[in-house]
Amino acid sequence: MAPSTPLLTVRGSEGLYMVNGPPHFTESTVFPRESGKNCKVYTFSKDGTLFAWGNGEKVNIINVTNKGLLHSFNLPKAVCLEFSPKNTVLATWQPYTTSKDGTAGIPNLQLYDVKTGTCLKSFIQKKMQNWCPSWSEDETLCARNVNNEVHFFENNNFNTIANKLHLQKINDFVLSPGPQPYKVAVYVPGSKGAPSFVRLYQYPNFAGPHAALANKSFFKADKVTMLWNKKATAVLVIASTEVDKTGASYYGEQTLHYIATNGESAVVQLPKNGPIYDVVWNSSSTEFCAVYGFMPAKATIFNLKCDPVFDFGTGPRNAAYYSPHGHILVLAGFGNLRGQMEVWDVKNYKLISKPVASDSTYFAWCPDGEHILTATCAPRLRVNNGYKIWHYTGSILHKYDVPSNAELWQVSWQPFLDGIFPAKTITYQAVPSEVPNEEPKVATAYRPPALRNKPITNSKLHEEEPPQNMKPQSGNDKPLSKTALKNQRKHEAKKAAKQEARSDKSPDLTPTPAPQSTPRSTISQSISGDPEIDKKIKNLKKKLKAIEQLKEQAATGKQLEKNQLEKIQKETALLQELEDLELGI
């Protein structure tokens, strides 16, 4: 039986409701619309079968399959909800409050049994950041960061702490995905001249100086982001400082580190200086994509040896999104950029489409791996709120704009487990759509009155670098390495020297050497009695010199115009013509 289409959940000032996914886009009857502005939070279970929401009075859970209400909890202030991976537990969080007399507040993090509706355990969790406990995928293990140490619970028994990981001031931790053995990455910030470090452990082996699977220390880190790959074999660590002491960037300074569970670690060398905007693993766990560098930003795919596999060149981008099956990559520029997207087939490194989603604040792949959701939500932007459903080939299949007096706060796909939707063959032809594809209005540059009647000169603030498979190459499809480029230049220099030596040798030439200041054209004129031939030779040498300069520019990565590439292609014919003329002399 084919899987059902993922639903779309929409939350805004018009209320909370669900929309059927492609191709219908009608309001779903699975969930009756909740009108009003009181809905603060909603969440799906990992497999998409359960849906929970808070309406300002209660937190309710329904079964999406049979539309039945399972439980209702009296939690009017709940602002965070999360299901455990196998739908056993619902975690809820309310803002922590203390009484006026200074006595401790009541526990604000509750864990409810989804089957019976009873409260399994309550904790005090003051901060909203990292509020939710982390479960392993089979729910055998659950972990919380408490007072700079990680507490582990087994089999959802929250009354007994099964294990503790205690290090000096643990700031953050991330449990590995996938089955046993479970691994955990922990971050300890540096203090008093000591470096910050990230360590990888295998549960429950925490004791002893050699218990860690891997360790990576670094000085430049005020905060870190740790990203496990799907197979739990390696972690990428983005280390950030709040202030760049060199003054090169007001974003602070970022470095990217690779740590493997076999003990290997490395700093990922990024060819362009500047901030690291985004790093994302492919679902294959064998490669990752980084978007980095001052604008226009570079995007590069790296393998597990941290060697670049493919360079996408530069462009207006600050985010990367792999499709659920890992065969399509979207590079996008949202936030303060114009919303330009590049959709790439990462098996063949071919560009599929270049749609533009202006003013987008949210992006998400549909679990089917074919459709994309982009949205403009408040409070990030309070005008032009709405969402669009795209096909990855660039067609807009559905568009919804909220009324001018309303706001859209949140929109997301219903999740599905991996493997429910099979990967389909990539198509490059845009799918048909009834929704017109709006061309973004390109603002023309201001021209002062004195220049308005004069021809426009094409000048760019930045020279954008093309992807490596679109750079002009002389005879090779693959980009040349530094050594190959050096050898190519040496070979061309030797060839030119031989050519000049051959043209300088002649039986009629007197043994007296010509003075240094004598131009080469004068020598040619003294050799040949025919001024027409001398003129042709001079012009040919001039053209060949220009071609050499163009080839040098191409070797440094500069994008050449069409007519310049045509000039390079004529080099062999010009050399032959020059040789014939000189032999004729």
Side-chain angles (χ1 to χ4, degrees):
M1 192 179 103
S4 58
T5 310
L7 296 165
L8 206 64
T9 309
V10 183
R11 183 177 71 90
S13 57
E14 295 180 303
L16 176 70
Y17 59 97
M18 290 186 186
V19 176
N20 291 311
H24 304 296
F25 307 111
T26 53
E27 189 163 333
S28 173
T29 56
V30 167
F31 178 80
R33 181 190 283 251
E34 279 229 356
S35 301
K37 301 179 181 182
N38 294 326
C39 178
K40 293 178 181 176
V41 61
Y42 71 79
T43 189
F44 274 103
S45 60
K46 299 288 184 292
D47 60 1
T49 58
L50 301 181
F51 180 73
W53 76 101
N55 57 14
E57 294 175 8
K58 293 185 177 182
V59 169
N60 304 306
I61 305 176
I62 63 163
N63 188 314
V64 177
T65 313
N66 59 26
K67 308 177 190 179
L69 181 70
L70 298 179
H71 299 291
S72 189
F73 307 110
N74 188 27
L75 297 165
K77 294 180 181 178
V79 289
C80 296
L81 303 173
E82 192 78 38
F83 283 101
S84 61
K86 295 184 80 176
N87 306 347
T88 309
V89 178
L90 174 70
T92 70
W93 185 86
Q94 302 175 90
Y96 179 72
T97 54
T98 54
S99 56
K100 290 180 181 178
D101 58 4
T103 54
I106 58 170
N108 59 323
L109 167 59
Q110 275 83 29
L111 303 176
Y112 290 95
D113 187 319
V114 172
K115 198 172 184 180
T116 62
T118 56
C119 183
L120 297 171
K121 187 71 175 176
S122 295
F123 297 103
I124 288 178
Q125 173 68 33
K126 294 181 181 179
K127 292 182 180 178
M128 188 176 181
Q129 184 183 2
N130 300 329
W131 71 271
C132 188
S134 295
W135 277 274
S136 60
E137 284 186 8
D138 59 4
E139 291 191 17
T140 303
L141 206 62
C142 181
R144 282 186 72 228
N145 189 353
V146 183
N147 298 329
N148 300 320
E149 60 183 25
V150 183
H151 291 183
F152 293 89
F153 306 92
E154 292 181 353
N155 301 313
N156 288 327
N157 178 10
F158 298 102
N159 294 314
T160 307
I161 299 172
N163 219 316
K164 286 184 183 180
L165 173 54
H166 178 74
L167 289 170
Q168 194 67 32
K169 294 184 179 177
I170 291 177
N171 184 279
D172 196 9
F173 78 97
V174 184
L175 265 183
S176 65
Q180 296 187 32
Y182 312 114
K183 302 174 191 80
V184 60
V186 294
Y187 163 60
V188 175
S191 61
K192 296 178 183 176
S196 307
F197 61 84
V198 169
R199 281 184 191 160
L200 308 187
Y201 290 94
Q202 183 170 306
Y203 183 84
N205 306 323
F206 302 139
H210 305 293
L213 298 172
N215 180 71
K216 181 73 177 173
S217 58
F218 28 79
F219 280 97
K220 294 181 178 179
D222 293 327
K223 63 176 183 177
V224 302
T225 304
M226 296 176 284
L227 306 166
W228 280 100
N229 64 6
K230 200 173 179 181
K231 291 181 179 175
T233 57
V235 176
L236 288 171
V237 179
I238 307 165
S240 313
T241 57
E242 301 295 337
V243 178
D244 184 356
K245 290 178 182 176
T246 63
S249 169
Y250 55 76
Y251 289 103
E253 194 177 356
Q254 290 95 20
T255 50
L256 181 59
H257 304 266
Y258 169 87
I259 311 172
T261 52
N262 62 5
E264 292 177 359
S265 65
V267 178
V268 183
Q269 299 296 333
L270 302 175
K272 189 172 184 180
N273 292 330
I276 298 171
Y277 304 102
D278 200 9
V279 179
V280 60
W281 280 103
N282 191 324
S283 57
S284 66
S285 298
T286 57
E287 60 185 32
F288 58 91
C289 179
V291 183
Y292 58 93
F294 295 113
M295 287 293 166
K298 276 181 86 73
T300 309
I301 289 179
F302 295 89
N303 60 18
L304 295 182
K305 292 180 180 177
C306 301
D307 295 328
V309 176
F310 187 81
D311 181 6
F312 294 98
T314 60
R317 52 173 83 112
N318 55 14
Y321 306 93
Y322 275 108
S323 66
H325 303 104
H327 61 326
I328 299 174
L329 174 68
V330 175
L331 300 174
F334 296 138
N336 57 354
L337 298 175
R338 291 184 183 177
Q340 290 159 283
M341 297 188 284
E342 297 168 46
V343 185
W344 285 85
D345 170 1
V346 288
K347 291 283 190 295
N348 303 305
Y349 296 115
K350 284 177 73 176
L351 186 65
I352 301 170
S353 62
K354 289 187 79 172
V356 179
S358 302
D359 301 329
S360 294
T361 61
Y362 179 76
F363 175 102
W365 273 100
C366 180
D368 66 8
E370 285 198 83
H371 299 94
I372 289 167
L373 165 67
T374 62
T376 305
C377 300
R380 179 69 177 80
L381 281 175
R382 295 193 182 275
V383 293
N384 300 329
N385 282 188
Y387 65 86
K388 293 174 187 172
I389 309 295
W390 307 71
H391 191 265
Y392 66 79
T393 52
S395 306
I396 300 176
L397 303 180
H398 177 66
K399 180 184 175 185
Y400 175 72
D401 295 320
V402 301
S404 56
N405 61 343
E407 289 180 347
L408 176 66
W409 299 330
Q410 190 181 0
V411 57
S412 61
W413 293 106
Q414 174 191 12
F416 277 74
L417 294 175
D418 293 341
I420 298 292
F421 292 94
K424 294 184 180 178
T425 309
I426 293 174
T427 177
Y428 295 88
Q429 188 68 37
V431 299
S433 169
E434 295 175 6
V435 182
N437 218 338
E438 299 169 2
E439 287 295 323
K441 294 176 183 177
V442 180
T444 54
Y446 170 77
R447 286 173 64 77
L451 295 176
R452 282 174 191 169
N453 296 324
K454 293 183 179 179
I456 297 170
T457 55
N458 287 327
S459 60
K460 284 186 177 179
L461 189 62
H462 301 287
E463 277 294 332
E464 286 195 6
E465 185 185 319
Q468 69 179 43
N469 59 355
M470 294 183 189
K471 288 180 183 176
Q473 298 291 335
S474 52
N476 269 339
D477 290 335
K478 290 183 179 179
L480 295 175
S481 64
K482 286 182 181 177
T483 314
L485 279 171
K486 196 175 178 183
N487 291 338
Q488 188 186 48
R489 284 176 195 154
K490 274 186 185 176
H491 179 69
E492 285 166 1
K494 278 183 185 176
K495 194 175 174 184
K498 277 183 185 177
Q499 198 71 43
E500 282 181 27
R502 206 184 328 175
S503 64
D504 288 346
K505 284 179 184 177
S506 172
D508 300 331
L509 191 63
T510 56
T512 313
Q516 288 289 326
S517 58
T518 309
R520 205 167 287 151
S521 59
T522 315
I523 298 170
S524 299
Q525 284 167 4
S526 65
I527 295 167
S528 170
D530 190 343
E532 282 297 317
I533 292 174
D534 292 338
K535 193 176 179 182
K536 282 182 182 177
I537 289 171
K538 184 182 176 183
N539 286 338
L540 285 169
K541 286 186 176 179
K542 195 175 177 183
K543 286 179 183 176
L544 286 165
K545 190 177 178 183
I547 287 170
E548 284 297 324
Q549 289 172 346
L550 288 173
K551 284 167 78 176
E552 282 176 16
Q553 289 173 11
T556 58
K558 186 178 177 184
Q559 191 173 5
L560 300 182
E561 301 292 332
K562 191 180 177 183
N563 61 337
Q564 291 174 321
L565 292 169
E566 286 170 359
K567 275 185 186 177
I568 292 174
Q569 289 168 1
K570 292 176 184 174
E571 183 185 24
T572 313
L574 292 173
L575 282 168
Q576 187 62 48
E577 192 180 341
L578 179 64
E579 196 174 342
D580 293 345
L581 283 170
E582 287 174 338
L583 287 172
I585 291 165

